[in-house]
Amino acid sequence: MREIQLIGRPDGVPTADLFESVQSPTLEPRPGTVLVENVLLSVDPYMRQLMDADEWWPLNTPGEGRALGRVLQSETPAYAVGDIVFHRQGWRTHAVVTPDESRRIDEAPGVPLSAHLGILGGTGLSAYVGLKRILNLQPGETLLVSAAAGGVGTAAARIAKLLGAGRVIGTTGSDEKAKHLVAEVGFDAAINYRRGDLVEQLAAAAPDGVDAYLDNVGGEHLAAAIDVLKQNGRIAWCGAVSTYNHQADVAPRNLFDIVDKELRLEGFLVRNHLDLRPELIDFLTPHLRSGAVTSDETVVEGFEHLVDAFLAMLRGENVGKMLVRL
């Protein structure tokens, strides 16, 4: 078994020398557990935050992360050899898990396995919770999504269209990504925030204002959204990637405008909304099987490239969910 362990703390942007590939002893399942061989691993922005503290990611240990694994040995009637299970012991090639900390993936014809780490997984659920439970997105409304080319951003656009959104606008970091978001993902407009004044670009893309905002960035993106939101607009705060390397302010300059415009801002943790997962799967599976919806993803081949994939995701080099196939 191989693991990728964290051996140092980052000072700003993480670098590859903070990680080490380690050969570990062969695992044996205990009674009530299964041994799984990981087949797909997810790397996500929140992992950057985990790197900062021993309580979240102790040094000389592999990170936690969403993973899909195939059961090699089973010491529990809950799983059979060959079952695919979801668990959170990523950053390693093999893991021993219990039924309580994992779940079987019921594969559906026409639905790629990788979707269970993307639009059907925690990524898609983050978008769904933000749109349905926090924002209560209504048909015909204008939605703004930041980090629109990432896993949550692309899932949000596809789900919002199914929910009847009138106009979906995204922000991203390159002209190429902006074109892709409109041509392939379904955004009505996509803005390269590096192109100029973000507020001016948003006002041009949404001349009648924005009803709801799903925020994955924080900082200046949140400030710009507050400027263009309509009276009584809503914000669902999912992430703040602009702050994870401690290089930007979390609080926007115009925070008090939330009072003047009577906006509602609510943060959420997807782990507290897992009750919506069956609803999400039932909602999206027919659309995935028909091809009407795609689980947007960037796949890197090989466990040895896990760190490269993680760092590339932090640099914004992925479109959709960043995955590593073992």
Side-chain angles (χ1 to χ4, degrees):
M1 181 184 86
R2 284 181 295 159
E3 300 177 340
I4 301 293
Q5 297 184 355
L6 181 68
I7 60 172
R9 300 284 174 211
D11 181 12
V13 179
T15 52
D17 61 337
L18 299 175
F19 302 91
E20 184 176 46
S21 179
V22 176
Q23 192 74 30
S24 299
T26 302
L27 295 173
E28 293 292 338
R30 307 175 303 277
T33 70
V34 294
L35 171 65
V36 300
E37 179 180 32
N38 287 332
V39 296
L40 280 167
L41 303 178
S42 170
V43 290
D44 298 282
Y46 78 87
M47 294 173 175
R48 169 60 187 88
Q49 295 174 287
L50 301 186
M51 296 176 69
D52 285 336
D54 197 63
E55 62 184 298
W56 299 328
W57 192 340
L59 293 181
N60 303 305
T61 67
E64 73 93 40
R66 300 175 181 124
L68 297 178
R70 181 177 291 105
V71 175
L72 297 181
Q73 293 178 249
S74 178
E75 297 296 332
T76 170
Y79 296 136
V81 172
D83 282 350
I84 299 293
V85 298
F86 169 90
H87 63 92
R88 298 193 67 94
Q89 293 191 43
W91 295 78
R92 66 206 86 189
T93 58
H94 297 75
V96 171
V97 299
T98 68
D100 289 341
E101 62 189 6
S102 61
R103 58 184 172 86
R104 180 191 291 107
I105 297 296
D106 296 320
E107 298 183 71
V111 177
L113 185 62
S114 57
H116 293 277
L117 288 178
I119 200 167
L120 292 181
T123 297
L125 186 59
S126 295
Y128 193 69
V129 169
L131 298 179
K132 284 273 289 186
R133 181 163 284 174
I134 310 301
L135 294 175
N136 189 26
L137 187 68
Q138 297 299 304
E141 288 190 321
T142 296
L143 171 72
L144 173 63
V145 181
S146 57
V152 174
T154 52
R158 295 187 183 278
I159 292 170
K161 285 297 187 179
L162 294 175
L163 294 174
R167 185 165 175 80
V168 181
I169 301 164
T171 64
T172 189
S174 74
D175 291 344
E176 182 180 5
K177 282 185 177 180
K179 292 176 183 176
H180 175 83
L181 292 176
V182 174
E184 302 295 336
V185 180
F187 281 88
D188 296 288
I191 291 165
N192 176 0
Y193 64 85
R194 295 189 172 100
R195 272 286 184 181
D197 186 276
L198 183 55
V199 175
E200 291 181 2
Q201 291 191 80
L202 290 176
D208 296 325
V210 170
D211 297 288
Y213 174 45
L214 180 63
D215 189 15
N216 297 297
V217 176
E220 284 303 307
H221 276 70
L222 178 55
I226 290 172
D227 280 345
V228 300
L229 277 161
K230 298 177 182 179
Q231 196 78 13
N232 302 117
R234 297 100 66 202
I235 303 166
W237 202 348
C238 182
V241 295
S242 68
T243 71
Y244 290 170
N245 292 321
H246 313 293
Q247 295 175 324
D249 293 330
V250 176
R253 53 178 165 70
N254 55 350
L255 189 62
F256 193 70
D257 288 352
I258 289 176
V259 175
D260 185 52
K261 298 177 78 171
E262 298 180 285
L263 306 179
R264 179 169 61 82
L265 185 156
E266 182 174 348
F268 68 96
L269 296 171
V270 69
R271 65 172 177 261
N272 294 326
H273 299 271
L274 297 181
D275 59 297
L276 280 185
R277 185 168 57 209
E279 179 179 314
L280 171 70
I281 293 173
D282 288 345
F283 176 63
L284 284 180
T285 295
H287 300 291
L288 286 163
R289 295 177 74 169
S290 72
V293 168
T294 299
S295 185
D296 300 275
E297 58 193 37
T298 299
V299 180
V300 173
E301 300 288 344
F303 181 74
E304 66 273 17
H305 297 301
L306 177 62
V307 173
D308 295 335
F310 174 61
L311 298 180
M313 179 273 304
L314 292 179
R315 292 191 297 267
E317 295 179 11
N318 56 300
V319 174
K321 184 73 169 179
M322 180 67 96
L323 300 173
V324 177
R325 181 182 289 118
L326 280 63

